[in-house]
Amino acid sequence: MNGDTAHQEKHFEAYIVAQLEKQGWQVGDTKLYDTERALYPDDLVAWLEATQAQQWAKLCKDHPADPRGALMDRLAKTLDKDGTVQALRRGFSIAGCGHIDLSEAAPEDARNAEVLKRYAANILRVVPQLRYHPAREFAIDLVLFINGIPVATVEVKTDFTQSAAAAVEQYKTDRLPLDPKTRRREPLLTFKRGAVVHFALSDSDIQMAT
């Protein structure tokens, strides 16, 4: 990628992030991303503290050395077993803490104040240039999270430089669920367990794959 291409894509990427911010999305930092579990831990904990404080308190009591690690380990196993969509819909359980919800859907009406409060507590986050590999400088242009769980990745191109088809090819050749050299499984890009959808995006074209 030459300098002009990179500049055009960075400008478009920044525009997308700015538009998401206007809609209430928070902007994250790749340094806060957990590459081994494919989670954004701060948001996961913040969601739990805001909506299920009792479960979080129990977790802290049962795992005083590292309640965050215990939470993420159990969630990672749930994601491996059930997949992202089911985990977001149904939540999961931790022994001694009970059931934990991972998101709140939009309420059908405005009469249930508690559901409205929990829905408003959902944390939507976009992380630009997310480095998803623990040892190599692999980065995806944009990754979108709900309460710390990745739901979408986006590779951004511009019609001035490359088409969305170039991003499709990038997913096919460079964004691999299994590293051919190390045989490391990439949880973010693994079907069912990782992000729900992957977008190849340009100014005039959007393509997607699950």
Side-chain angles (χ1 to χ4, degrees), residues 146-191:
I146 296 177
N147 300 330
I149 299 172
V151 293
T153 73
V154 186
E155 285 294 351
V156 179
K157 305 299 178 187
T158 70
D159 292 334
F160 298 105
T161 54
Q162 300 181 80
S163 67
V168 171
E169 191 63 25
Q170 195 170 16
Y171 274 115
K172 288 180 178 179
T173 58
D174 295 334
R175 306 288 178 251
L176 302 178
L178 186 69
D179 189 318
K181 293 184 178 180
T182 65
R183 309 304 295 173
R184 175 185 181 271
R185 185 173 70 99
E186 178 47 61
L188 177 64
L189 300 173
T190 297
F191 176 68

Side-chain angles (χ1 to χ4, degrees), residues 123-140:
I123 302 170
L124 306 179
R125 187 175 298 278
V126 55
V127 180
Q129 293 300 311
L130 182 133
R131 292 190 294 276
Y132 60 88
H133 196 284
R136 304 173 71 181
E137 292 297 313
F138 295 152
I140 293 177

Side-chain angles (χ1 to χ4, degrees), residues 75-152:
L75 174 54
K77 290 179 181 178
T78 297
L79 292 170
D80 286 340
K81 178 177 179 290
D82 299 332
T84 299
V85 173
Q86 291 301 323
L88 283 169
R89 285 177 176 170
R90 300 178 181 175
F92 68 109
S93 297
I94 297 181
C97 299
H99 185 80
I100 292 175
D101 291 319
L102 293 171
S103 66
E104 186 65 57
E108 294 182 359
D109 57 56
R111 290 175 291 182
N112 192 323
E114 184 59 31
V115 173
L116 283 170
K117 181 181 177 181
R118 284 164 60 98
Y119 177 65
N122 282 322
I123 302 170
L124 306 179
R125 187 175 298 278
V126 55
V127 180
Q129 293 300 311
L130 182 133
R131 292 190 294 276
Y132 60 88
H133 196 284
R136 304 173 71 181
E137 292 297 313
F138 295 152
I140 293 177
D141 291 338
L142 301 171
V143 179
L144 280 59
F145 296 80
I146 296 177
N147 300 330
I149 299 172
V151 293

Side-chain angles (χ1 to χ4, degrees), residues 47-57 99-102 118:
W47 157 257
L48 202 58
E49 289 178 322
T51 62
Q52 298 153 94
Q54 187 175 3
Q55 284 91 326
W56 176 244
H99 185 80
I100 292 175
D101 291 319
L102 293 171
R118 284 164 60 98

